[in-house]
Amino acid sequence: EAQKYAGEDSGELNMVFQFEHVEDASPHAKFGKWTTDRYDFKAFKKTMIKWQEELQGKAWNSLFLGNHDQPRSVSRFGNDNPAYRETSAKMLATCLHMMQGTPYVYQGEELGMTNAYFHKLEDYKDIESIQYYTELTDAGLMEPDYMMKCLMLRSRDNARTPMQWSSCNNAGFTSGTPWLKVNSNYKLINVENQEKNPDSVLNYYKKLVSVRKSPEYIETFTYGEFIPAYENTETVMAYYRVFNNKRILIISNFGNTSVNIPLEYSVKHIILSNKKQSTLPATSIKLESCEVLVLECDN
């Protein structure tokens, strides 16, 4: 259907939004998305690859991980623990933005904003969250404490808290009382702080965009063939973008432990690294948890 309506010759749409990768309810969950289970990385990777391969040369993808109806991407697909939040947010952005399609940045994603993790039902305004909490707990199908944990992880309000502009009152969003509470971590995560920090998530996004649009790589990242790589690895998402005489490897470790990956092609240049990696890998790549590398390889 996507090929039919968003194809170059269809005359209908310029691109398509697909939601398969964000409809990741656990196979063990009885109540759809209302679960505390982590997403299935293998299913996520398979879905992302499928849409890249099957629309390639036929239609155009929209690239996104978050929107107003989804939890915060770094909390959902990455690791929002303070020790990993920034590297994880950078990894997710890189893995997504180097695919074929048009990337979308949902407000606050460029800061690595996290789920709000509200502990009280009265802090939630999302009618879906309140409705399901009431129905499932009143019917005795879920314990209230467990359902609150589900809301902390899955509620749409996680992505709807006010934009965190500064460490001022209400994150600089308003001098009044916001309709929805500000995330309590706004003094740590905000635009003002990140603009001053060259290693911030915000400045990494700027670097990522400049690489994508640079004269040297714009054609490769726009038109280059998408070729999945290392598909059988447990925690690694990797692919090549190939155009004319350029071959670029994008490789990300979504796991909690380091991995060693043998190189298929020799590396000429490190284009981008979220860990400031500067040593060219020779025969293999060691990736720490939440690490991503963008490597120009020999053809």
Side-chain angles (χ1 to χ4, degrees):
E1 294 302 301
Q3 292 173 10
K4 186 189 301 181
Y5 294 108
E8 289 185 6
D9 301 323
S10 72
E12 298 284 339
L13 305 171
N14 296 109
M15 68 179 80
V16 62
F17 275 98
Q18 61 89 5
F19 295 92
E20 189 176 357
H21 65 302
V22 293
E23 295 171 352
D24 67 331
S26 166
H28 308 295
K30 294 180 181 179
F31 307 107
K33 76 177 188 178
W34 303 112
T35 175
T36 58
D37 290 351
R38 283 280 287 171
Y39 78 108
D40 184 334
F41 172 71
K42 289 183 180 178
F44 170 79
K45 179 165 76 167
K46 184 178 179 181
T47 298
M48 297 300 283
I49 290 172
K50 177 179 72 173
W51 281 86
Q52 286 288 300
E53 289 188 316
E54 294 191 18
L55 291 196
Q56 191 158 233
K58 299 171 184 174
W60 196 250
N61 274 299
S62 298
L63 305 173
F64 76 99
L65 291 176
N67 61 36
H68 65 284
D69 282 332
Q70 308 297 331
R72 285 286 173 183
S73 59
V74 72
S75 298
R76 183 181 193 176
F77 298 112
N79 185 343
D80 65 7
N81 181 296
Y84 290 95
R85 181 188 61 83
E86 291 190 348
T87 52
S88 183
K90 293 172 184 178
M91 178 195 72
L92 292 173
T94 309
C95 183
L96 188 76
H97 281 232
M98 297 306 180
M99 291 182 176
Q100 188 175 75
T102 298
Y104 286 77
V105 183
Y106 179 69
Q107 64 94 2
E109 197 169 26
E110 74 279 25
L111 305 180
M113 278 178 62
T114 69
N115 279 359
Y117 298 117
F118 293 144
H119 288 83
K120 298 177 182 177
L121 185 62
E122 53 264 36
D123 289 335
Y124 289 92
K125 305 299 181 187
D126 175 25
I127 191 169
E128 178 194 54
S129 298
I130 296 168
Q131 175 188 335
Y132 274 99
Y133 178 93
T134 303
E135 286 185 6
L136 294 174
T137 58
D138 284 356
L141 298 172
M142 274 199 190
E143 291 294 323
D145 286 350
Y146 182 76
M147 190 59 194
M148 281 304 302
K149 290 177 182 176
C150 293
L151 296 189
M152 290 180 200
L153 295 173
R154 298 288 188 158
S155 173
R156 301 185 296 187
D157 277 346
N158 283 303
R160 299 176 179 182
T161 56
M163 180 67 179
Q164 293 164 209
W165 293 105
S166 71
S167 57
C168 297
N169 191 40
N170 290 323
F173 180 79
T174 178
S175 58
T177 302
W179 179 68
L180 193 62
K181 278 179 65 175
V182 177
N183 192 315
S184 61
N185 61 19
Y186 73 91
K187 290 190 177 181
L188 173 68
I189 304 171
N190 62 68
V191 175
E192 187 177 61
N193 287 352
Q194 294 201 21
E195 283 183 330
K196 299 171 185 173
N197 178 6
D199 295 325
S200 69
V201 178
L202 177 60
N203 280 313
Y204 185 88
Y205 263 84
K206 293 177 182 180
K207 190 185 303 182
L208 184 61
V209 171
S210 69
V211 167
R212 238 185 95 96
K213 295 175 71 175
S214 67
E216 188 173 1
Y217 298 114
I218 188 170
E219 289 191 326
T220 305
F221 289 127
T222 305
Y223 305 112
E225 183 182 1
F226 174 94
I227 304 171
Y230 308 108
E231 288 184 81
N232 295 325
T233 52
E234 289 291 319
T235 63
V236 169
M237 170 93 79
Y239 55 91
Y240 295 101
R241 298 300 306 279
V242 179
F243 186 80
N244 290 342
N245 64 339
K246 286 196 184 300
R247 175 181 293 273
I248 297 171
L249 172 65
I250 298 89
I251 185 164
S252 310
N253 179 15
F254 281 69
N256 295 322
T257 57
S258 62
V259 292
N260 280 287
I261 304 294
L263 281 168
E264 296 174 325
Y265 299 88
S266 59
V267 175
K268 294 164 60 176
H269 174 55
I270 298 174
I271 300 172
L272 206 55
S273 163
N274 68 339
K275 291 231 178 200
K276 293 190 171 180
Q277 177 64 257
S278 58
T279 305
L280 284 182
T283 58
S284 66
I285 303 169
K286 182 179 180 181
L287 290 173
E288 302 295 338
S289 176
C290 302
E291 184 171 6
V292 63
L293 285 168
V294 180
L295 306 170
E296 185 170 351
C297 302
D298 286 324
N299 254 323

